[in-house]
Amino acid sequence: MKNTLITALLVYASSTIGWSQQTFSHCSAAFLGNKMIVDQYTTIGKCSVPTTATGELTVHIVELSSAKSKAVEPIPFMVAIRDKNSQTLTRYSKAEVKRVNIQNVLAKCRKGDHIVLLTVGNQYALPHNEILVR
């Protein structure tokens, strides 16, 4: 009886935790240094970096307004690289990170490849998750 009650409480607790994290409830964006990478946070926004880019690549929850966009809180992410020719996706980071030196990632890329950012939780919307290397 005691084990049944404990099991029921654990099931209830885990189900309420799932309800509290709404899917894609936080807007997020990629930043290089303190500048958002996407040229416009719209459905037609594009992300790109030159092969000579420097600084730290991060992903933040953002506050969006018509006047400006503000980074609020860094979130964990993973990095992969999509090869231009074969479209093969290769994992760059084996673990989640909150920042990565863009020069280290670009050392594994060629012009035309894409740096792909993967959020770790489904509460983060990251619509501009592919960054063209130009």
Side-chain angles (χ1 to χ4, degrees), residues 23-120:
T23 304
F24 307 124
S25 58
H26 299 289
C27 294
S28 61
F31 285 77
L32 187 55
N34 62 357
K35 186 175 186 297
M36 192 165 31
I37 294 175
V38 67
D39 58 359
Q40 55 181 309
Y41 201 98
T42 66
T43 56
I44 59 170
K46 302 284 185 216
C47 297
S48 67
V49 294
T51 57
T52 58
T54 61
E56 286 192 331
L57 178 63
T58 58
V59 176
H60 284 78
I61 295 173
V62 291
E63 285 181 4
L64 302 168
S65 72
S66 58
K68 68 176 188 170
S69 303
K70 178 183 172 189
V72 177
E73 177 184 341
I75 62 171
F77 64 100
M78 295 178 78
V79 180
I81 298 169
R82 183 181 312 279
D83 180 76
K84 173 189 174 187
N85 297 324
S86 69
Q87 298 300 306
T88 300
L89 194 61
T90 305
R91 186 173 59 180
Y92 171 82
S93 60
K94 295 184 192 243
E96 59 188 57
V97 295
K98 285 200 173 179
R99 63 181 47 91
V100 65
N101 185 319
I102 191 76
Q103 292 171 325
N104 294 343
V105 178
L106 290 171
K108 304 281 186 183
C109 297
R110 296 178 301 218
K111 284 185 180 183
D113 288 351
H114 282 85
I115 299 168
V116 181
L117 306 176
L118 308 166
T119 60
V120 179

